[in-house]
Amino acid sequence: MRNRRRALGALTVLLLAAPAAHAASGESDRPGLRSGADPAARGERFALPHRPMIWTDDLTIDRTGDVRPDGSVTLYGSYRCVRDGSQMPRASVLVTLTQGQERHGLGGYDAVCDGLRHRWVIDGVGVGRYVRGPADAEGTLLKYAGDTFAPTAIPTPVSMPMNVARADREVMLLAADD
């Protein structure tokens, strides 16, 4: 019995090492597939589109936002906040906008954690003097552990925020139609 286990272990090691040894040989029998010919071997990377899984928390920021003559802005995006079991935790979307010397938190949006994708809109009124053009937006989706909307939940004295999703994007601020 003991020798059988050793033999099986040795066979497993050989089978696992065989593909690695073949791959390390460096040359393929097909001319188009020589090592070094593929983009990954040359250090190139392909940018795959961001496609979040339906059971994870996610946050996006739209490519464009609105700016009004008084310098106030409106940004848009979407989020998905997954509930924890049968409870729906409290959550918020927070956004910071940077353009030149201006960098301000625009405020927050109360999120619903039901597992569905929702749109958010945040108006930054009186927080800075933004102008038309490119800006950098940073968004965070926060869940508050221990604080839920479930009717039978016993609230805890302190809700601990957890950063569950983040999005950074360059946005183009366009003149708002007032």
Side-chain angles (χ1 to χ4, degrees):
M1 184 71 164
R2 186 182 220 173
N3 288 337
R4 258 194 216 168
R5 285 186 187 169
R6 285 186 183 170
L8 184 58
L11 180 61
T12 303
V13 169
L14 287 175
L15 289 174
L16 291 175
H22 175 68
S25 67
E27 293 299 323
S28 172
D29 55 347
R30 294 176 20 197
L33 296 178
R34 289 197 169 100
S35 66
D38 63 328
R42 293 191 307 260
E44 297 177 22
R45 292 185 180 210
F46 295 105
L48 298 176
H50 176 66
R51 301 218 187 272
M53 299 298 200
I54 59 171
W55 56 84
T56 62
D57 298 310
D58 183 54
L59 178 68
T60 65
I61 300 171
D62 289 356
R63 295 175 192 223
T64 59
D66 297 327
V67 62
R68 285 173 281 298
D70 66 354
S72 59
V73 295
T74 302
L75 293 182
Y76 310 89
S78 66
Y79 72 92
R80 179 185 300 114
C81 184
V82 181
R83 68 174 64 195
D84 296 329
S86 64
Q87 298 180 354
M88 290 179 29
R90 196 167 59 94
S92 297
V93 174
L94 305 174
V95 177
T96 301
L97 186 65
T98 304
Q99 185 183 51
Q101 297 297 328
E102 297 286 338
R103 178 177 171 84
H104 302 281
L106 300 183
Y109 181 89
D110 290 331
V112 177
C113 293
D114 60 2
L116 301 175
R117 178 152 304 277
H118 297 277
R119 295 287 297 163
W120 58 263
V121 176
I122 295 179
D123 289 314
V125 179
V127 294
R129 185 112 180 107
Y130 294 96
V131 296
R132 288 181 15 200
D136 293 314
E138 303 169 23
T140 303
L141 177 62
L142 292 177
K143 275 187 187 176
Y144 300 95
D147 190 11
T148 62
F149 292 130
T152 60
I154 299 170
T156 58
V158 177
S159 297
M160 299 301 295
M162 296 182 306
N163 181 355
V164 294
R166 183 168 173 79
D168 295 323
R169 157 163 261 166
E170 182 176 5
V171 297
M172 184 59 68
L173 297 178
L174 306 174
D177 297 327
D178 288 328

